[in-house]
């Protein structure tokens, strides 16, 4: 039977439609959720991400502000800005677009964000809350992964889940969220021995390693749900030929656009082995901004005594 495609765009639109209702209810109570997006320097990918975040905020009826700073900005200047944003009543979410330039002490800046406005879920207070299971603001991409699984009716409770990747932004938080959803979770990384055999144990397999098409058929348990978080930009014909068994379409795309996106999972193998999978593009990617909006809306309510915390019922 053909593997089911888990359509991230459809789920993103569903979440956005729900958020419109929530924003309307907050506005009726005199609250307009506000997001400040801080971009330091002129990284083209970061510029696109921030522009899309601000555009989506406006479409959902949020107040949003884009703050552009030169690449030469110092840690102190950023700390000063964060302090001002922390004190502004109309700002509910502060987003510091990563990566920051090398002269900036990234963790000092991220740790200075008011945890109640930390819509990226990276402040140690929010990380600690995620570990404990009493969480509110969680990192957006991992939250999106859970939304895809739940809204696609994939059972998580009791399932064997394998996460490949242990970064603070994706791997670790997604593993914690799956654990809180009662999956039995294994986390793999670059030092894992016999990775393919461990990955094959996963009824749910999450690939978040940043290695194009690394997860080949032998990593995938027959019928598994495969969530591909990887976003890799292929810019040469050689890379495209290495990733795609039939490179005709992707090579045409490369000629037209100068790049082709590929996930961490081999795109043809996953169709043959998995029961369900997220494509790249169009899978996890679309959820990230939607979850940032969801975090901003929930921060706006929580800061004014309307909390909607998620809490696990672990035992
Ligand atoms: P990272 O580089 O911080 O972490 C990669 C992880 O993969 C590390 O923990 C490392 O141990 C593991 N890894 C690397 N090579 C491995 C190997 N050969 N075998 C086993 N494990 C290996 O990356 P990240 O920030 O977690 O991002 C991972 C991927 O997800 C990237 O492709 C990134 O672009 C993508 N991403 C997508 C979104 C989205 O919105 N969809 C958001 C964030 C990241």
């Amino acid at each position: 039977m053909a593997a089911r495609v888990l359509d991230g765009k459809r789920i993103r639109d569903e979440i956005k439609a729900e958020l419109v209702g929530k924003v309307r209810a907050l506005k009726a109570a005199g609250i307009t959720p506000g997001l400040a997006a801080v971009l330091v320097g002129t990284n083209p990918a970061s510029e696109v991400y921030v522009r899309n975040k601000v555009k989506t905020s406006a479409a959902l009826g949020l107040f949003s502000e884009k703050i552009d700073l030169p690449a030469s900005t110092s840690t102190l200047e950023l700390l000063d800005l964060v302090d001002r944003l922390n004190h502004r009543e109309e700002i509910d979410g502060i987003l510091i677009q990563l990566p920051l330039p090398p002269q900036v002490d990234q963790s000092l800046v991220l740790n200075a964000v008011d945890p109640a406005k930390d819509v990226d879920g990276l402040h140690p207070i929010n990380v600690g809350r995620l570990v404990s299971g009493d969480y509110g603001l969680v990192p957006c991409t991992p939250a999106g992964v859970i939304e895809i699984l739940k809204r696609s009716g994939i059972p998580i409770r009791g399932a064997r889940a394998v996460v490949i990747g242990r970064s603070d932004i994706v791997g670790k938080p997604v593993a914690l969220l799956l654990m809180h959803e009662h999956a039995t979770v294994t986390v793999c990384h670059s030092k894992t021995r016999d990775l393919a055999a461990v990955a094959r144990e996963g009824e749910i397999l999450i690939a978040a390693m940043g290695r194009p098409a690394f997860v080949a058929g032998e990593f995938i348990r027959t019928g598994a749900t495969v969530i591909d978080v990887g976003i890799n930009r292929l810019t040469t014909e050689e890379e495209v030929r290495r990733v795609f068994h039939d490179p005709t379409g992707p090579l045409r795309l490369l000629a037209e656009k100068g790049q082709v996106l590929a996930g961490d999972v081999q795109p043809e193998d996953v169709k043959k082995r998995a029961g369900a999978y997220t494509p790249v593009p169009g899978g996890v990617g679309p959820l990230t901004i939607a979850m940032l909006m969801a975090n901003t809306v929930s921060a706006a309510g929580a800061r004014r005594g309307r909390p909607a915390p998620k809490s696990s019922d672990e035992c």
Side-chain angles (χ1 to χ4, degrees), residues 141 164-167 169-171 188-190 195 208-211 214 229-232 264 284-285 288:
T141 302
I164 313 182
R166 58 174 163 182
S167 73
I169 293 180
V170 186
C188 303
H189 45 77
S190 53
L195 184 60
M209 53 204 303
R211 301 268 181 270
F214 192 98
V229 183
I231 299 181
N232 307 290
D264 288 347
V284 177
T288 299

Side-chain angles (χ1 to χ4, degrees), residues 15-39:
I15 293 170
K16 277 164 77 172
E18 291 165 12
L19 285 173
V20 169
K22 288 184 186 170
V23 172
R24 205 175 291 138
L26 282 170
K27 281 187 165 174
I31 302 165
T32 299
L35 175 71
V38 180
L39 176 64

